Amino acid sequence: MTPRVRIAPSPTGNLHIGTARTAIFNWLFARHHWGQFILRIEDTDLERSRPEYTENIKSGLTWLGLNWDEGPFLQTQRFDLYCQGIQTLLDKGFAYRCYCTPEELEKMREEQKANNQAPRYDNRHRHLTEAECQKFESEGKKPVIRFIIDDNREIVWNDLIRNKVTWRGKDLGGDMAITRIPQLEGESFGQPLYNLAVVVDDLDMKITHVIRGEDHIANTAKQILLYEALGKTVPDFAHTPLILNQEGGKLSKRDGASSIDDFRKMGFLPDALANYIMLLGWTPPDSTKEIFTLSEAAKEFSLERVNKAGAKFDWGKLDWINSQYLHQIPASELVELAFPYWKEAGYEVNLESDRPWLEQLAALIVPSLTRLTDVIKESRLLFGNTLSYSNEALEQLRKEGVKDIIQAVVDNLANYPQLSEDNVKEIIRQVTVDFKIKKGLIMRSLRAGLMGELHGPDLIKSWFLLHQKGWDIIRLKESLSQI
Ligand code: GLU
């Protein structure tokens, strides 16, 4: 049987990088084995779940290039199935009704705390008689359903990343609530809770491998007991390491970005981000190779090569990978990606009529780009007919003889109604000869006059771009007035 895996995010926030990494590992695993990748939205927490987060998760996964084979399944639409599971556990004697009120539970916790004990439910209603239950009911108390956890059990599984994991039943917090208190009159039990819903779903969806973050390890121990109680085969488990910040803590918004949307807005390309994320914990067989598309990585992916230790987030490496992808992008495509940024920066360009010009511009700046957002900084000197001058540029312009040089260039330009890059070179050569000056002087002076700064993209190409808009003459004349 081919593997069936899933990503099961809770829509209580935008798609987080940790969830995206889990999704990528599941996707790679599924694609490597020609299996199925399923999307399940775990929206049982009605207070915190929002449809817009579900949309954000779906669009974020799609943007990264992760397509799912089944779903999205919404847990809120599957309550009947969970109720059947709960009823089975009750019928088999693996679960019972507990009438403890939230106040009683709180008191229990306080006492445990005062005695330096770990908080746990003390299983006090595990053996209620039918008459005792009736009494609570007649007092108007509503029960939660609890699943019996044997304190003496050792739960052991062979984790596909962490090898043998052992968990003691007594460390699982006592008999586990698998429902909330019923809210509606006549309901036999309240809303199903996370661990129960996950197990029922994973069974129903025939999930063979549960690959998820190591923060779920204690849940896995509980879930294995649920599988056993339901008399079903336990899937394989693989717990991925956490993504850590530079200080070794969990990566959060405070580290600069944490949701996939944040990274998109910062100018990372989806393929590059997916590439970087897959390397957070996975070491490819040839560890010197770092650039992988998702499909390339799928061919080589295995859980054996996922590390146990936490994966440190490294902005420098993400930038490097992003630049590798950006530098490969053809100018025609870069124009599409850069256009919104140019627009936002207020540059007056038209995607249709300016396309050839924009493509030349894109080709000129692409080697300098690390993030897509850099298109603004790298192209800002090439838009418009007005300039502001850096002090360095003004100094250059005011050097002796520079005014005449620029004037000569302006005069020469009049001879070329249709200027080519070669003509530009010819004008520079001519002025160099006429004034008997070094080429460096004219280049620096022209850069100051044309760009207002002494550093920037290739001067000849920049000039040629400005010329097509008629901005070179205007700028050079303006620079003369600064001298
Ligand atoms: N809904 C859980 C979460 O967002 C994931 C559950 C699972 O993968 O089993 O953390």
Side-chain angles (χ1 to χ4, degrees):
M1 190 169 107
T2 54
R4 290 173 60 81
V5 295
R6 83 306 192 270
I7 180 71
S10 306
T12 52
N14 286 337
L15 179 61
H16 187 270
I17 181 160
T19 312
R21 205 267 312 258
T22 307
I24 287 180
F25 282 2
N26 274 282
W27 187 95
L28 292 173
F29 184 81
R31 294 294 171 262
H32 182 85
H33 295 284
W34 300 90
Q36 308 294 306
F37 173 63
I38 295 155
L39 173 59
R40 181 170 79 224
I41 302 292
E42 301 204 325
D43 55 351
T44 51
D45 183 342
L46 300 180
E47 270 156 36
R48 293 171 60 224
S49 298
R50 301 252 181 290
E52 56 270 31
Y53 292 140
T54 299
E55 286 314 307
N56 181 277
I57 289 166
K58 285 180 352 193
S59 63
L61 292 172
T62 307
W63 182 75
L64 283 170
L66 302 172
N67 56 327
W68 50 93
D69 305 303
E70 293 172 27
F73 298 106
L74 268 61
Q75 285 194 323
T76 42
Q77 293 176 1
R78 299 166 59 83
F79 277 176
D80 288 353
L81 208 63
Y82 310 139
C83 291
Q84 283 170 29
I86 294 162
Q87 194 57 57
T88 307
L89 293 172
L90 283 168
D91 293 347
K92 286 184 168 180
F94 290 126
Y96 60 89
R97 289 180 163 78
C98 161
Y99 291 88
C100 288
T101 59
E103 295 74 31
E104 272 175 275
L105 293 172
E106 187 48 42
K107 193 161 162 263
M108 196 187 298
R109 256 178 246 126
E110 297 280 300
E111 284 168 9
Q112 287 161 344
K113 221 166 123 191
N115 294 328
N116 271 333
Q117 291 166 336
R120 55 183 276 121
Y121 172 63
D122 65 5
N123 304 340
R124 66 178 62 168
H125 283 184
R126 192 190 269 186
H127 299 294
L128 290 183
T129 62
E130 194 52 36
E132 285 168 318
C133 289
Q134 287 304 329
K135 185 163 173 289
F136 283 128
E137 297 274 344
S138 64
E139 289 165 5
K141 285 190 173 160
K142 302 272 186 216
V144 301
I145 310 295
R146 286 191 183 268
F147 173 69
I148 295 178
I149 292 185
D150 178 359
D151 274 355
N152 298 318
R153 241 321 275 279
E154 264 210 339
I155 303 123
V156 182
W157 73 92
N158 182 26
D159 196 282
L160 298 179
I161 294 173
R162 311 173 69 83
N163 304 322
K164 186 176 164 189
V165 179
T166 306
W167 209 272
R168 293 182 306 183
K170 68 180 164 74
D171 293 335
L172 292 176
D175 293 345
M176 158 175 67
I178 53 174
T179 69
R180 290 180 207 276
I181 295 175
Q183 298 297 313
L184 303 174
E185 203 49 52
E187 262 185 334
S188 39
F189 24 81
Q191 256 181 43
L193 287 174
Y194 165 72
N195 279 301
L196 182 279
V198 165
V199 170
V200 169
D201 275 342
D202 284 344
L203 282 171
D204 183 63
M205 294 171 190
K206 299 188 171 45
I207 299 301
T208 57
H209 298 74
V210 174
I211 305 167
R212 61 185 171 197
E214 68 177 25
D215 45 336
H216 282 290
I217 286 188
N219 286 327
T220 297
K222 293 174 184 168
Q223 290 173 17
I224 287 175
L225 297 177
L226 280 167
Y227 282 105
E228 290 175 358
L230 290 166
K232 300 287 164 77
T233 323
V234 183
D236 280 329
F237 289 96
H239 290 92
T240 59
L242 297 181
I243 303 177
L244 307 175
N245 61 19
Q246 283 309 310
E247 290 74 47
K250 206 176 162 182
L251 190 81
S252 74
K253 190 108 185 153
R254 264 173 283 125
D255 298 300
S258 61
S259 78
I260 294 304
D261 256 2
D262 294 338
F263 287 97
R264 184 178 54 75
K265 287 185 194 138
M266 289 169 89
F268 293 104
L269 296 173
D271 295 358
L273 187 59
N275 189 157
Y276 176 67
I277 293 176
M278 72 176 74
L279 298 176
L280 281 172
W282 174 60
T283 313
D286 171 1
S287 60
T288 58
K289 185 168 178 234
E290 299 198 288
I291 300 297
F292 286 94
T293 62
L294 282 168
S295 338
E296 282 162 3
K299 292 197 191 106
E300 310 204 5
F301 185 80
S302 68
L303 290 170
E304 289 92 74
R305 298 195 63 85
V306 175
N307 312 323
K308 290 191 208 48
K312 268 211 176 149
F313 195 89
D314 178 346
W315 285 100
K317 185 159 174 184
L318 172 58
D319 273 336
W320 178 79
I321 291 180
N322 203 56
S323 67
Q324 300 301 302
Y325 278 84
L326 266 174
H327 298 173
Q328 297 303 318
I329 291 191
S332 55
E333 244 174 75
L334 185 60
V335 165
E336 302 285 340
L337 295 171
F339 190 71
Y341 294 93
W342 286 326
K343 268 269 175 255
E344 204 185 309
Y347 301 141
E348 280 183 23
V349 275
N350 181 299
L351 191 53
E352 298 317 314
S353 53
D354 289 320
R355 187 174 279 276
W357 186 83
L358 289 172
E359 286 189 12
Q360 291 170 55
L361 171 61
L364 176 63
I365 62 170
V366 72
S368 327
L369 302 179
T370 299
R371 300 182 188 177
L372 206 43
T373 39
D374 295 339
V375 296
I376 298 179
K377 142 168 121 334
E378 295 301 331
S379 57
R380 78 194 154 85
L381 301 180
L382 291 149
F383 283 99
N385 52 21
T386 51
L387 276 183
S388 58
Y389 299 88
S390 71
N391 288 339
E392 269 183 333
L394 283 176
E395 265 173 42
Q396 179 65 32
L397 289 171
R398 290 169 186 165
K399 279 190 180 158
E400 209 190 317
V402 170
K403 188 169 189 171
D404 294 340
I405 294 172
I406 294 186
Q407 186 61 58
V409 171
V410 172
D411 296 343
N412 254 299
L413 267 173
N415 303 328
Y416 296 96
Q418 290 270 312
L419 195 81
S420 70
E421 265 188 56
D422 281 344
N423 300 149
V424 168
K425 287 184 192 155
E426 176 52 25
I427 294 175
I428 292 172
R429 199 195 60 78
Q430 193 60 53
V431 175
T432 318
V433 171
D434 292 351
F435 284 77
K436 297 193 180 51
I437 48 170
K438 291 220 167 95
K439 192 174 164 202
L441 176 63
I442 177 169
M443 294 299 269
R444 271 195 307 283
S445 308
L446 277 173
R447 192 180 274 286
L450 282 169
M451 316 290 278
E453 291 189 10
L454 290 190
H455 307 280
D458 179 275
L459 182 65
I460 306 284
K461 289 195 162 58
S462 303
W463 184 358
F464 185 58
L465 272 167
L466 293 172
H467 182 78
Q468 292 172 58
K469 293 279 187 187
W471 295 333
D472 56 343
I473 298 271
I474 300 174
R475 286 184 182 194
L476 287 174
K477 284 186 176 158
E478 172 59 27
S479 73
L480 285 171
S481 72
Q482 303 287 324
I483 303 175

